[in-house]
Amino acid sequence: MDLWTKRVAGIIAQVALLLCSSYGTTGEEVCDSALVSNLQPSAFRSSSQLSSSHGPGFAKLNRREGAGGWSPLTSDRYQWLEVDLGERTKITAVATQGRYGSSDWQTSYLLMFSDTGHNWKQYRQEDSIGSFPGNSNADSVVQYKLQQPAIARFLRLIPLDWNPNGRIGLRLETYGCPYTSDVVSLDGGSSLVYRLSPGLKWMSREVVSLKFKTLRNSGTLMHAEGQEGLSLSLELERGKLLLLLRQGRSSSSEPRRLASLGSLLDDQHWHHVAVERRSSHLNLTVDKHTERVQIPAEFNHWGIEQLSVGAVHSQKPVVSKRNFHGCLENLLYNGLNLIELAKKHKDNQVTVMGNVTFSCAEPVSVAVTFPGPQSFLQLPGATASTSVGVSVGFEFRTWNKAGLLLTFDLPQEGVVWLYLSEARLRLQIHKAGRLLLELSTGSGLDDGQWHSVELNSRRGRLTISADKGEGGVAHASPSFPVSIESQLFFGGCPAEEDSQGCKNPFNIFQGCMRLLTVENQPVDLIMVQQRLLGSYSQLQIDMCGIIDRCSPSRCEHGGRCSQSWTVFHCNCSDSGYSGATCHSSVYEQSCEAYKHNGNTSGHFYIDVDGSGPIKPQLVYCNMTEENTWMVIQHNNTELTRLRPSPGGNQHSVHFDYSTEEEQLLAVISQSEHCEQELSYHCKKSRLLNTPEGSPFSWWLGGPGSGRLQTYWGGAQPGSQQCACGLQGDCVDPQHYCNCDADRMEWTEDSGLMTHKESLPIRSLLLGDIQRPGSEAAYRVGPLRCHGDKSFWNAAFFDKETSYLHFPTFHGELSAEISFLFKTTASSGVFLENLGIKDFIRIELSSSTQVVFSFDVGNGPLEVHVESSVPLNDNRWHRVQAERNVKEASLRLDKLPAATQEAPADGHFHLQLNSQLFIGGTASRQKGFRGCIRSLQLNGVTLDLEERAKITPGVRPGCPGHCSSYGSLCQNQGRCVERASSFHCDCGLSAFTGVFCHTEVSASFKSETSVSYTFKEPYELSRNSSALPSSIYSDMTLRGENISLSFRTNQSPALLLYVSSYYREYLALLINKHDKLELRYKLDSSREAEVLRSRARSLTNGQLHTVTIRRLTDSVSVQMDQNAWEDFNLTSDGEFNAVKSLVLGRVHESDELDPDLARLASLGFTGCLSVVRFNSISPLKAALLHPDTGPVVITGPLVQSSCGSSASANPYAAENTHHLSDQSGSMGSGQPLVNAIRTDSALIGGVIAVVIFVIVTGLAITARFLYRRKETYRNQEVKGVKQEDSQDFTFTHQADSQNASSENPKEYFI
């Protein structure tokens, strides 16, 4: 070939390639040819015609022949126009027009398709909308493009509404193109078998696709067999398509179900099925729905050897219920047409088994639909010559549990009712209002399957049976004849004005019926449709209009779907979600959110993505610190000891976390800060640095299995250092880790890993533990995170014209929007997103009303909530709006949710295409002025702050949280603002804790004394900058506010004593009669005044609270929740030069009255809690500031939870705080280990015995201490402080949740 020829060939090839590629980019072949205009008049049929010039043959678009179109004899909803296209055709669009030159047109209609002229199928938009918009005049053309092309030979149009000033008038056109296919019919004993060539190479992707139609609800559609007896099957079972996996050659082996898809597939309509196998998963498609299925590992390199269609292949054809009975079309394997190969017998690749025909043999089965509520079918009864009994049969299918199936009158008065109740078949015979007979049989008849019913009465025996006796049979022998007087009524009764004596005391029947027989004679329903037999109302004849509203299920997050004929219901119990479709999470998204609901530390379910796909997880929320920590445990958070083991050069450990992978990563991503402790305790065991430069040890952290990390706790990623190397204080300056000094003494390298990209720690590999004398211990703490990026994410809109915009919100089927707002304005739009016609909007319509409005194609709908208090109060208010296919709901704060049901057969896809506007609208009118915070759309947080930084008129963040959350600060706690969040200052409160809600309590022994000294007269000031203002107070008092709680068995007992420099005092005590006594001596020259309360039994070991208020000479006392008691003093009411306040034993008792001095010397044994004297809290100062406040403590003082009302017996078990967990000793210079784990079973056993002995000793000691009820100290202390043990070089810090001062609780919210 010369050069010129080669060039020409190259050019031709390039042009061809260009043409092919351009064809591929234009999509499918154009399919919009007119299909009706060239048809003969004989191709048109109609229910009736007004005259010969109004016949159906004139119903062609833009034609004027005859009367200018088709009009029926009467205009009602039973009229129809039918077109026969001659062969199965692909239909893509329908156009309608009114009758030319008239006032006749239809305004809405139904569209039906059929292959045979029977068994019509209604075309639905979005699987729900049944009606199409029609015309508004006689001449304009309205065209509707079908969302999914229909393939059919026959088309039928049924007018629903028409011009009220005219009648039905119609001209139409349909558009599409020819449809070609290869069809095969299988009779239940026949099949096709395709054997793949042995030399075919295994492919990582295989596709099998086909269409099928059948009247049988069970049968094997396809069976693929491969190596080692592994096989996959597609089988129909109860009208659903199952994907089954079998292992073993025997077809009787129990299969494993991989997926179930589709429903009502036995409706004798074509259904598309495709199975695509990739290396690790399958995609199963039935009609428009696809499910991804993970397949077992053994199928990764599995290839098909034989493909059987219609049956599981055996040596000879066998008719079986398991075989498929129906028609197949376009059976393709990897693009290879197997039906075409079977026709041609090409290479014998496809073997035909049994009686196979290459056309679709379609049995005619005419069904009738009862849509309700006025639906009924009236048929004549038997003639007189055959009326010696009753024989009625039919099949029905429904989703309803109840409904009338059949009723007729008896000749000698009386009525028979055959009906469904609780999904069972029941029969009642009544006469003169009295029940004569009742039968019941069958169960579960509301499952949407076809069920047969037979009613027979012959020779004095009455029988009803369900499913030919398989579902149950009931018999009776009535003493009276049972026969039909005149008429049979199916499904219901006519309206009252034309009831003909028919009465229905039961629910109406909604469902389908077929194969009706009366006296063993089939009922011709086509004659009924033509009004030639019986009568009917509101029926759809020659079709079954049943819809499975639970396939696919609209219930999200594992909600269970159930349905009736018209609606579906989602059971969300145990799912963790709520709402009509189980879309909204019932849990908060973080510990931070639980805290701001007023909760305290405990276990909570966290749903990090709200209504998103990630499941809720149970975590521990530690709210005892300023930050709210989320704690996620793994399988080994304890200090674990390692010793050399024979043959083991390395030790590897993997950590399994208590939450799933996607939950874990979402928590880390959403949190502002995460950390995880990583510590290594070593003796002659190096950590990172080796002579060659590669580390001895490393760890894996981050997403998935983790990435290799060679730095240690407290250092920077990639540094190959420990914390001491970064700080320059390692024990050997030549190394970057303490352990790399390789010394024989115990040392450690510990620190926090805080780089979120490297968390969590997945596994650990320790490499220098094999040498003689090497010992080590490691600890990987739980993952701890605080801060919720989404919770405080806010923006401030200072103008009505300001807004933020984001990409279009995609919430076609489910849209959930939640946010918080605060404002001083009375109205404004929070959010708006528009489509061509659809929209969604949430706005503050007035100072007391929030409105959620939207349109999905059914017209605008509004849901509004009215508040009884103004919403423009500059406090945070929470809005939660949800719209799904079932309903729309709106919730404001804690008010009841307002709901609006969606139309049962309306549009349900929300189609938006513009930008999402926050704080304003596209028209820049009715904007919102104020703050919006924590805005989430379907669980995804919009970053308002980041967008606000670059948007004029909008500021990131929003201060002023105390107006909303200040009430969480209890017991005189003061709310302090922060840029994001707030905190409670408990300086003026006798309580402590994150919300100033935790009582400060202590157990007192007889020798315990807490003395608080007030300012001395000559002192002008003290440095109190580091302490709460409650530590100091004024000297001269004209009144007191005193409160405290106590628990004791001691009588008498001194609770509180306040002295002065002028020999004046105040004493609160329990006298020997178990009564509360208050003594005031406000004049040193006079005797003390004694005030006695009426309250009794104060030394019963229960918690009691006393409150005292004095203003000059007026004193009020309250015990527990009793009524206040009022007293008056005779002194001048001034308490001069207050000196000190004492709790417990009073050591300086020289100035006391003799009897009070004796009582003071006894001390107090019991519990004191939340002691408050005016603005000071002496017990809190003693426990929390023992070294810096004006407090002196003598004797044992143990902080305790004995003041909690939940503590029934504080002496039996006190919740005592320890600074370190001293659980045992391993000897000098060795690490203290909470729970030792080694690789040696022998060593582990020995250590287990040692631990058991230690624990037993501790238990005996505790019991001894419990019986003595005493706690001693060898010296006077100034607070509750325990020194770390000097015997060990390091201690094991307890987990944060174990060190919490609060009792952990598990909340199921």
Side-chain angles (χ1 to χ4, degrees), residues 163-180:
N163 179 18
N165 298 318
R167 59 172 61 243
I168 295 173
L170 176 63
R171 290 175 285 174
L172 88 162
E173 180 61 271
T174 61
Y175 301 91
C177 56
Y179 176 77
T180 58

Side-chain angles (χ1 to χ4, degrees), residues 729-744:
D729 58 358
C730 295
V731 295
D732 185 344
Q734 297 182 7
H735 296 282
Y736 297 114
C737 295
N738 290 322
C739 289
D740 288 338
D742 202 22
R743 297 186 177 184
M744 285 301 296

Side-chain angles (χ1 to χ4, degrees), residues 174-214:
T174 61
Y175 301 91
C177 56
Y179 176 77
T180 58
S181 65
D182 291 290
V183 180
V184 66
S185 183
L186 305 177
D187 63 1
S190 53
S191 62
L192 301 179
V193 180
Y194 173 58
R195 293 179 178 86
L196 277 73
S197 302
L200 282 180
K201 188 178 179 181
W202 174 85
M203 291 177 289
S204 61
R205 180 179 180 270
E206 292 177 292
V207 181
V208 180
S209 64
L210 57 88
K211 286 186 175 182
F212 75 91
K213 64 171 13 180
T214 182

Side-chain angles (χ1 to χ4, degrees), residues 1004-1010 1054-1057 1142-1147 1159-1165 1168:
F1004 282 67
K1005 304 305 177 185
S1006 60
E1007 63 271 29
T1008 304
S1009 173
V1010 175
L1054 180 63
L1055 299 175
L1056 176 144
Y1057 173 71
V1142 180
L1143 304 173
R1145 175 176 286 185
V1146 181
H1147 294 287
L1159 183 58
S1161 65
L1162 295 176
F1164 173 74
T1165 302
L1168 288 180

